[in-house]
Amino acid sequence: MDPVRDEAERRQLTILFCDLVGSTALSSELDPEDLRDVMRAYQATCQSAIERFDGHVARFMGDGVLAYFGYPHAHEDDAERSIRAGISLVQSVSNIHQSRAAHDPLRIRIGIATGPVVVGDIVGEGAAREHSAIGEMPNVAARLQALAAPGEILVAPLTRTLARGLFEFDPLGPQALKGLPEPLPVYRVRGERLSDSRFEAARGQALTPLVGREEELELLARRWERARAGQGQLVTIRGEAGIGKSRLADALRERIHGEAHVRVLYQCSPHHVDSTLYPVVRQLEHASGVTKDDDDGERARKLATVIASGPPVEDHDAALLATLFGIEHAALPPLAGDARQRRGMTIGALARQLEALA
């Protein structure tokens, strides 16, 4: 990883501000050594979640955490990365084990804001040295964090605009934030949006015409005609990030609109490398009509419905796929066998469902 530069520069940055709820009460209830262990675990958890999405922890301030997305390394999806880090933080911090079981789970609140800053100046000495971000956005993120309820992630308008196709938001209306001349529209992150395609979700609006890809599109169209004639075809589209691979595939989809076909979409994501068989799970979620608001019982019912609509399956398929989906439901039968046997059974269940979808 490249070292952080010392030169200050103007750039668009997404700022995440995180605060531990009830830390004062916690300090009065815990022995100082136990409190130290909790705070070290909290800070390590925050750093891990933020760095997982290539964010930069700029400062630990007691129970507060200030993080930058877009510095020192900028990405086209820094707003998305910050929200994914926030969701991960809310979940992982609540799982931190405290010394006394009587304590409630740890909870945090998060504010996120995107906008222009000047970043890179080194302030402080020794362990307190940091690369500061100068501008309105750090203050906005801190004010949003203070406004959030425990477990909530609040975002500013530009952050929401940049990520609106990928997440569900609840508008809270204009809010008067200290230090801002006018009320600011604020949005609460509800969760990730379940969409057909990350490409379609991210674009958020109508696409411009495809230019300069006529030859490639015609090649795809010819391969499609061969496939329709019963000659199996496989096409690999390769190219640099952002060159238009997904756009070209989308153009083919538009071209064959209305013709009989089954579209099966699998998309890997660098943000879900720890999620087992993520593309397949998302495809089956879409096929079964699962939504974020469904509880485990409803998710299990929808999964059972899509399984029953296909060819005959094994008796344990529903339970295997429910486990893969993270569903715990009393109506599902218990699974037999060790971990290795269950993996093989799960792959078999997936294969049967994918065959039915195709």
Side-chain angles (χ1 to χ4, degrees):
M1 181 177 291
D2 297 333
V4 177
R5 293 186 296 270
D6 292 342
E7 304 86 9
E9 58 182 302
R10 180 186 178 94
R11 66 164 68 182
Q12 178 166 288
L13 210 62
T14 297
I15 307 287
L16 180 149
F17 201 99
C18 167
D19 180 68
L20 184 62
V21 176
S23 59
T24 301
L26 193 65
S27 64
S28 66
E29 297 171 3
L30 290 179
D31 178 85
E33 291 186 356
D34 292 336
L35 178 63
R36 171 179 175 270
D37 291 340
V38 170
M39 295 305 298
R40 290 183 66 178
Y42 162 68
Q43 292 184 345
T45 298
C46 290
Q47 182 148 0
S48 175
I50 290 167
E51 291 181 349
R52 175 186 166 195
F53 295 95
D54 211 13
H56 170 65
V57 177
R59 189 191 323 167
F60 287 112
M61 299 165 286
D63 59 358
V65 181
L66 175 66
Y68 302 155
F69 290 83
Y71 181 86
H73 306 289
H75 313 84
E76 62 181 11
D77 58 349
D78 279 315
E80 174 193 351
R81 289 170 181 266
S82 70
I83 295 175
R84 292 196 185 280
I87 293 173
S88 176
L89 280 169
V90 171
Q91 296 172 343
S92 55
V93 168
S94 68
N95 293 329
I96 294 176
H97 174 71
Q98 296 188 47
S99 301
R100 291 164 52 191
H103 291 299
D104 293 329
L106 297 181
R107 294 185 296 172
I108 58 174
R109 50 193 177 197
I110 295 175
I112 302 176
T114 303
V117 300
V118 173
V119 62
D121 281 329
I122 298 179
V123 298
E125 297 292 337
R129 284 165 58 92
E130 64 176 89
H131 288 75
S132 65
I134 307 299
E136 186 178 51
M137 290 307 109
N139 293 328
V140 172
R143 300 304 181 197
L144 290 175
Q145 171 270 316
L147 182 65
E152 283 188 348
I153 304 170
L154 301 187
V155 304
L158 182 54
T159 308
R160 180 255 180 184
T161 297
L162 293 172
R164 63 185 175 186
L166 299 167
F167 301 93
E168 301 281 358
F169 297 92
D170 295 324
L172 302 184
Q175 303 289 323
L177 302 181
K178 184 178 179 181
L180 298 187
E182 298 180 358
L184 182 75
V186 175
Y187 300 87
R188 179 196 299 119
V189 178
R190 188 191 307 168
E192 187 174 3
R193 181 190 296 270
L194 293 178
S195 57
D196 289 358
S197 162
R198 284 178 53 82
F199 175 68
E200 294 168 355
R203 75 191 190 190
Q205 57 186 2
L207 295 172
T208 57
L210 186 67
V211 177
R213 290 288 183 262
E214 293 80 7
E215 182 177 348
E216 291 88 346
L217 184 56
E218 287 301 321
L219 185 148
L220 292 177
R222 291 195 300 272
R223 295 295 184 267
W224 166 248
E225 291 301 327
R226 290 184 184 181
R228 291 187 65 194
Q231 304 175 32
Q233 300 291 305
L234 174 65
V235 178
T236 301
I237 304 175
R238 301 176 60 184
E240 299 174 0
I243 202 171
K245 301 183 295 295
S246 296
R247 179 68 180 92
L248 182 59
D250 195 64
L252 176 65
R253 183 182 64 83
E254 294 173 351
R255 182 158 178 165
I256 66 175
H257 179 71
E259 300 183 30
H261 69 280
V262 175
R263 182 187 180 209
V264 181
L265 180 67
Y266 299 97
Q267 292 183 310
C268 296
S269 167
H271 306 309
H272 296 91
V273 294
D274 297 325
S275 299
T276 304
L277 298 173
Y278 170 77
V280 180
V281 172
R282 284 302 297 267
Q283 172 67 25
L284 290 177
E285 282 182 336
H286 175 66
S288 59
V290 168
T291 69
K292 267 204 66 66
D293 297 327
D294 293 340
D295 59 21
D296 277 359
E298 182 65 9
R299 284 160 60 87
R301 185 192 67 78
K302 290 182 176 180
L303 183 59
T305 299
V306 76
I307 290 174
S309 66
V313 296
E314 301 292 336
D315 294 337
H316 51 237
D317 277 9
L320 287 166
L321 295 179
T323 301
L324 187 62
F325 280 38
I327 299 174
E328 297 180 3
H329 196 251
L332 296 172
L335 291 171
D338 58 25
R340 183 174 182 178
Q341 291 172 324
R342 291 184 185 181
R343 281 198 298 270
M345 293 160 61
T346 299
I347 296 298
L350 284 171
R352 287 186 283 275
Q353 287 309 303
L354 299 183
E355 182 180 2
L357 290 175

